[in-house]
Amino acid sequence: MDLNYGQEYEDFRNEVQSFIKTNEKVNLHGAKLRSPERVEWQKKLIDHGYFARSIPKQYGGFGGEVDIIKTRIIAEEFAKSPIPKPLGGQGIQMLVPTLLELGNEEQKQTYIKPTLHGEMIWCQGYSEPNSGSDLASLQTKGELDGEEWVINGQKIWTSTAKFAQMCFCLVRTEPEAPKHQGISFLLIPMDSSGIEIRPIMQMTLDADFNEVFFTDVRIPKENIVGERGEGWKVANSILGHERGSLADPNVTMTRLNALINLMKDETIDGQRIIDKDSFRDRLLKIQGRVLAQQSNSLRILSGQINKDQNTSMARLITKLQGTELRHELEALAIDAMGELGTLYENSPHLRDNGSWQMSYMYFLGLIIGGGTSQIQKNIISERGLGMPKEPKVQGN
Amino acid sequence: MYFGLSEEQVSLQETIKKYLEDQAPLEVIKEIAAGDELKTIEIHKGLLDLGISSLLVPEEFGGLELDLLFAAVVSTALGSGTAPVPFIGAYVMAPLALNLGGNRSQKEQWLPKIASGEVLMGIAISEFIGAREDSGINFKKGKVNGRALFAIDAKNSDALIVSNKAGQLFLVHTGSSGISQTELITVDKTRISTEILFKDVKAEILPESEKDLGIINKVIDAGRIMLAADSLGAAQVMLDKAIAYSLERKQFGRQIGSFQAVKHMCAEMVAELEPCNAMVWHASHCQENIPHEARLMACHTKAHISEVSREVSKTAIEVHGGMGFTDELGLHYWFKRIGLNRQLLGSPELVREEAAKIQNFDQASDDDNKGNDEVGNPLVV
Ligand SMILES: Cc1cc2nc3c(=O)[nH]c(=O)nc-3n(C[C@H](O)[C@H](O)[C@H](O)COP(=O)(O)OP(=O)(O)OC[C@H]3O[C@@H](n4cnc5c(N)ncnc54)[C@H](O)[C@@H]3O)c2cc1C
């Protein structure tokens, strides 16, 4: 056991901290995607190596060496501070790693840089009305017509489709092939004619996700990542990236500290909530679980540095555990506020801009999105514990 | 940076597990539970040969001077094997108490003999954490009076470490006149808890513990991490057994492990339990290396793993159906061990209360910068 990162890294931490201190006034609240302020901030983070650190310069990254510890230090320090975080989103978290791994040179040149810099927003067109957990049953159709793919069908729950310039999409291109082998991974410009987007109102009262309809949408033949019929493989190569990023324990720890402060500030009959035994015990239970997940994440980090360390089970459980815990943490904040916890939008007496209700609902969305908790448990028991798969239903 | 067990730690853990699998399989545990004391002595002796008593004793006193993580891996292995032997009190808490609280001559007198396995030292400090009924210990003019419940590893001991409510530590010879000891019969037949009555018993103070009231907390924290590790080991075995059984047992023409309800019970167990490994390692590491996190990690590790292991112990039995409920299958040995560990040195509720105190959550004065940095802030009530 050696938790020392070493002097080089402590120096690096200081450097990150002083960057954060210098920029603590930066506030992008309300700044739209692709707005000049956002793009400028993103560029600044890349120039300092605090984002896209190990992505080559030629693709718009910082061009540093892969250094997991530095990446971790950056994440830890940014999580502690209210300054704007680097842009996330499906383009950055999912598409960029996919292209780096499986894209051709031209695709890398064309797409990675504007994506990293926040100039090109992507949406993920996977789910369909009849294909959610059973994603591989998807039916949106792609046919090659000369030099173009012609796409017909419908996607649903497509987050940020309204703002996106591009969609990475799973499309059935080989109808005769078995279900997992008939899918291709296509890159579709969202301004193509034949695309219609209908926003869906969410329980949060935002409309981040959408239905996307494709009617004879034509895109160039070369807008495919990997070969025809390899789309399932391509998509799976990065699902892990998404899962790991959904509930970072460092962010949860920051949120826990905010909850502690909230429970010190809020009172009932003049008594602080944190001084009430029942609430305090719930808080401490959650704190124990956050600490367990943080220890687990250190183990995972160590597994990335020390290749002979097996951390596969530790990794397999993080999406399930992280999203469920975060949802419960937000729920405690609401309970601590009681009736006040139900306030939303711009109500009088609202606390923290309504962020507790917002996150409470948002994390329920993350429990469902990216593979539901039940699907996670299937994966953990089958891949992790070696238990049998569900017997196949005939004709499926 | 390396977060995990070293090769030596893994191999120590494997050695102890293997020893227990060979020498203390379930049939033997059952005989011991039925009262076969000779078997206990034999297994204890075998484990002494593997070094369990010398882990934490400094080299100058004949020990191995290893850090707490080694003790934690041993404790995990003992939990896996429901080992019917003294460890947490005699070989973790006692040497720590002596080493931190004792003077030179006390250390010279006792530590080498603990390391060599000649001396067994019990721990009677439950009353410092929370006195039940009218128990409690007083020290006056070199004499100890009072009653201690749930003493750990005290049966057949040569000496005892006792504490008063203020957290000072005292050493008494178990054979002294004025001591009487009664066995308590808990659900867990793999370890023995006792009640000890002290009537004007000659005692010597561990002098450093008088000056530094944080010492007792360090001893307790180490004990708590060991209990958590023991429960972790026990719960892991129960989970493994549940999975194995689910692949064997058939109903409705298929393995019960192919039913999703069963798969999800198992997935939930492992999802909760897996991070507990990292938590025990982390908490152990903090004790010697990251003092400002040490107390909080120890409390939370004890409380959290008590909760997780209780849930696993219940669910693993459910996966076995009626078989799980039988004495014959013996799952209850692990279940009950987890049950006792949960209450010893503070139930999760009490330990979380303490974690709150450490962070000054309980003080309306909002003096936030204190608690966390105050190492070994003594819990004087
Ligand atoms: C906030 C949010 C954002 C999203 N963003 C996107 C996006 O950008 N792009 C995109 O493509 N998709 C997105 N999704 C869709 C998401 O991936 C799906 O909702 C999810 O995979 C579940 O599919 P479904 O909604 O069809 O539910 P279903 O698959 O119908 O599931 C319904 C219930 O049945 C259970 N169930 C289904 N199959 C099994 C099984 N085999 N075993 C046990 N239980 C089962 C599920 O766990 C669930 O409880 C988003 C979803 C949410 C909530």
Side-chain angles (χ1 to χ4, degrees):
Chain A
M1 189 70 111
D2 172 14
L3 291 190
N4 266 331
Y5 292 156
Q7 193 54 46
E8 181 199 347
Y9 290 110
E10 289 321 314
D11 293 347
F12 182 73
R13 190 186 290 280
N14 289 336
E15 184 194 314
V16 178
Q17 281 168 347
S18 81
F19 173 88
I20 289 175
K21 189 127 192 54
T22 321
N23 291 282
E24 68 191 352
K25 293 262 149 56
V26 180
N27 182 349
L28 294 181
H29 217 82
K32 292 203 158 59
L33 288 174
R34 298 174 75 216
S35 61
E37 308 93 284
R38 275 207 182 276
V39 172
E40 192 199 332
W41 177 242
Q42 191 75 355
K43 184 167 180 322
K44 189 165 184 177
L45 294 177
I46 296 175
D47 288 345
H48 280 83
Y50 298 154
F51 176 68
R53 187 175 177 84
S54 57
I55 295 176
K57 267 212 157 69
Q58 66 194 108
Y59 306 140
F62 173 72
E65 280 180 23
V66 178
D67 188 324
I68 293 152
I69 297 179
K70 284 190 176 164
T71 305
R72 164 103 180 184
I73 288 172
I74 296 164
E76 281 172 4
E77 294 305 323
F78 273 74
K80 283 188 221 154
S81 151
I83 68 164
K85 310 296 175 263
L87 260 189
Q90 288 155 328
I92 284 169
Q93 270 153 11
M94 302 184 72
L95 182 76
V96 168
T98 308
L99 290 181
L100 284 170
E101 203 169 315
L102 300 166
N104 61 34
E105 190 52 37
E106 201 191 324
Q107 289 165 342
K108 290 181 192 173
Q109 297 282 358
T110 315
Y111 298 118
I112 295 181
K113 179 164 181 203
T115 305
L116 291 177
H117 285 245
E119 293 156 349
M120 182 184 277
I121 307 297
W122 291 79
C123 59
Q124 173 201 30
Y126 287 8
S127 306
E128 297 180 5
N130 290 318
S131 303
S133 299
D134 183 13
L135 186 59
S137 67
L138 60 91
Q139 291 303 331
T140 295
K141 199 167 62 176
E143 285 168 307
L144 209 49
D145 178 23
E147 292 302 298
E148 290 178 325
W149 290 107
V150 184
I151 298 154
N152 280 287
Q154 183 197 344
K155 296 290 173 181
I156 194 169
W157 319 127
T158 320
S159 304
T160 60
K162 270 178 306 185
F163 311 107
Q165 285 67 57
M166 294 289 297
C167 176
F168 56 98
C169 201
L170 292 179
V171 174
R172 187 158 302 282
T173 55
E174 327 297 314
E176 306 305 322
K179 98 178 180 184
H180 292 87
Q181 280 130 51
I183 298 168
S184 294
F185 192 102
L186 301 184
L187 308 176
I188 305 176
M190 290 300 281
D191 61 0
S192 313
S193 73
I195 293 186
E196 192 199 336
I197 302 169
R198 291 187 205 150
I200 307 173
M201 185 65 95
Q202 300 167 180
M203 64 187 290
T204 53
L205 305 185
D206 293 318
D208 280 340
F209 59 27
N210 306 270
E211 290 178 283
V212 182
F213 297 88
F214 299 86
T215 314
D216 291 330
V217 173
R218 291 183 162 265
I219 61 165
K221 186 182 166 193
E222 50 292 351
N223 281 19
I224 181 172
V225 181
E227 299 295 322
R228 285 179 69 149
E230 281 184 1
W232 187 254
K233 228 174 64 191
V234 174
N236 268 301
S237 75
I238 51 162
L239 266 184
H241 288 272
E242 180 182 41
R243 291 201 179 121
S245 66
L246 285 179
D248 176 356
N250 289 312
V251 179
T252 307
M253 185 56 91
T254 304
R255 196 63 175 163
L256 177 76
N257 291 332
L259 171 59
I260 292 169
N261 287 332
L262 179 88
M263 290 176 66
K264 287 177 176 172
D265 290 342
E266 296 297 331
T267 58
I268 186 161
D269 292 336
Q271 188 189 18
R272 302 189 315 168
I273 299 297
I274 203 162
D275 291 333
K276 295 182 97 50
D277 295 349
S278 50
F279 283 101
R280 192 172 58 219
D281 196 49
R282 273 178 71 188
L283 173 68
L284 284 150
K285 271 188 181 163
I286 287 180
Q287 186 176 45
R289 291 164 62 196
V290 176
L291 288 170
Q293 292 193 9
Q294 246 197 350
S295 300
N296 193 56
S297 83
L298 281 173
R299 184 182 182 191
I300 293 172
L301 171 69
S302 178
Q304 291 170 317
I305 303 169
N306 308 284
K307 294 294 177 204
D308 55 336
Q309 207 177 356
N310 180 357
T311 57
S312 57
M313 186 62 90
R315 274 182 286 123
L316 214 46
I317 63 166
T318 53
K319 197 261 167 181
L320 173 66
Q321 293 296 86
T323 53
E324 297 277 358
L325 174 59
R326 184 68 193 275
H327 180 64
E328 264 186 63
L329 189 161
E330 305 290 332
L332 174 55
I334 290 169
D335 294 352
M337 292 183 279
E339 298 95 323
L340 294 170
T342 65
L343 299 177
Y344 200 49
E345 296 179 275
N346 52 5
S347 170
H349 302 288
L350 185 70
R351 308 296 203 256
D352 301 319
N353 293 316
S355 78
W356 298 101
Q357 276 288 355
M358 174 56 134
S359 301
Y360 172 63
M361 293 188 262
Y362 183 75
F363 272 85
L364 177 52
L366 289 190
I367 285 171
I368 298 167
T372 66
S373 281
Q374 291 68 38
I375 295 299
Q376 298 304 316
K377 289 175 196 173
N378 288 349
I379 295 173
I380 292 166
S381 55
E382 289 165 15
R383 288 193 216 148
L385 299 174
M387 298 177 83
K389 284 203 161 40
E390 286 295 287
K392 287 255 185 308
V393 176
Q394 284 264 297
N396 191 13
Chain B
M1 185 265 188
Y2 180 82
F3 182 97
L5 301 181
S6 65
E7 265 173 49
E8 274 175 297
Q9 285 155 351
V10 172
S11 110
L12 177 63
Q13 191 164 35
E14 292 307 314
T15 308
I16 297 208
K17 264 191 179 162
K18 179 91 189 15
Y19 174 83
L20 290 169
E21 275 161 25
D22 294 345
Q23 303 301 316
L26 190 56
E27 309 85 75
V28 173
I29 299 291
K30 285 180 175 174
E31 287 163 29
I32 288 168
D36 187 339
E37 296 203 16
L38 285 178
K39 286 244 158 61
T40 315
I41 293 168
E42 224 172 86
I43 294 164
H44 187 184
K45 168 104 198 3
L47 286 167
L48 287 175
D49 292 343
L50 295 176
I52 64 164
S53 60
S54 56
L55 301 171
L56 299 183
V57 175
E59 276 180 12
E60 61 170 319
F61 301 114
L64 297 169
E65 199 169 335
L66 296 168
D67 54 34
L68 202 66
L69 189 50
F70 279 89
V73 304
V74 169
S75 200
T76 308
L78 297 177
S80 324
T82 57
V85 294
F87 180 67
I88 293 172
Y91 305 135
V92 176
M93 297 174 77
L96 263 179
L98 279 166
N99 203 33
L100 295 170
N103 60 27
R104 183 85 204 167
S105 80
Q106 288 167 329
K107 293 185 200 183
E108 278 169 358
Q109 184 185 353
W110 295 102
L111 285 173
K113 288 186 178 157
I114 290 180
S116 66
E118 285 162 74
V119 154
L120 188 72
M121 199 175 275
I123 294 281
I125 60 177
S126 310
E127 284 63 35
F128 173 73
I129 297 161
R132 299 282 171 173
E133 301 177 350
D134 59 349
S135 61
I137 299 289
N138 288 307
F139 176 76
K140 242 188 228 149
K141 296 186 186 141
K143 299 268 158 95
V144 162
N145 273 292
R147 201 156 68 92
L149 283 167
F150 293 95
I152 301 175
D153 298 342
K155 192 187 173 192
N156 300 326
S157 65
D158 303 282
L160 295 165
I161 303 269
V162 184
S163 85
N164 59 8
K165 200 65 186 169
Q168 293 155 338
L169 297 168
F170 310 96
L171 201 150
V172 302
H173 292 255
T174 317
S176 308
S177 72
I179 286 197
S180 57
Q181 198 171 178
T182 316
E183 261 185 51
L184 300 171
I185 303 161
T186 74
V187 286
D188 178 24
K189 298 277 187 291
T190 65
R191 289 160 308 167
I192 291 154
S193 303
T194 59
E195 171 179 6
I196 306 171
L197 206 61
F198 299 89
K199 259 198 196 130
D200 287 331
V201 178
K202 215 172 116 216
E204 46 184 294
I205 190 160
L206 300 185
E208 296 301 319
S209 76
E210 193 175 13
K211 297 175 210 147
D212 178 359
L213 292 174
I215 287 177
I216 189 166
N217 283 326
K218 288 193 183 146
V219 173
I220 291 171
D221 287 345
R224 284 177 174 159
I225 296 170
M226 295 306 117
L227 289 165
D230 189 287
S231 287
L232 168 65
Q236 185 66 52
V237 168
M238 293 191 82
L239 171 59
D240 294 345
K241 285 179 184 287
I243 293 162
Y245 186 77
S246 81
L247 300 181
E248 244 167 54
R249 168 77 173 165
K250 288 203 171 118
Q251 284 293 282
F252 299 96
R254 42 194 270 217
Q255 292 163 298
I256 57 164
S258 71
F259 292 116
Q260 200 171 48
V262 174
K263 284 160 71 174
H264 285 197
M265 285 197 272
C266 294
E268 282 159 15
M269 286 193 271
V270 75
E272 288 294 339
L273 198 57
E274 187 67 19
C276 294
N277 289 290
M279 197 179 198
V280 164
W281 305 341
H282 199 178
S284 306
H285 182 73
C286 285
Q287 300 312 303
E288 285 131 348
N289 301 287
I290 314 180
H292 67 280
E293 290 177 22
R295 292 232 58 213
L296 190 66
M297 279 305 292
C299 289
H300 270 308
T301 300
K302 169 71 162 64
H304 179 70
I305 295 179
S306 297
E307 304 286 16
V308 170
S309 57
R310 166 181 274 186
E311 200 55 33
V312 169
S313 70
K314 166 196 176 250
T315 312
I317 286 188
E318 276 182 88
V319 169
H320 286 79
M323 272 309 282
F325 200 66
T326 60
D327 174 49
E328 189 197 333
L329 195 69
L331 278 178
H332 65 93
Y333 287 102
W334 285 271
F335 180 93
K336 290 168 180 171
R337 186 146 172 135
I338 288 168
L340 177 62
N341 288 344
R342 181 182 172 93
Q343 309 302 343
L344 289 177
L345 303 181
S347 68
E349 290 74 16
L350 290 182
V351 179
R352 284 194 293 265
E353 279 292 314
E354 208 171 313
K357 284 206 181 95
I358 293 165
Q359 300 175 89
N360 286 341
F361 285 175
D362 63 329
Q363 288 169 20
S365 79
D366 212 337
D367 200 353
D368 280 335
N369 299 326
K370 258 169 47 188
N372 241 344
D373 302 324
E374 233 171 328
V375 184
N377 179 21
L379 234 195
V380 185
V381 190

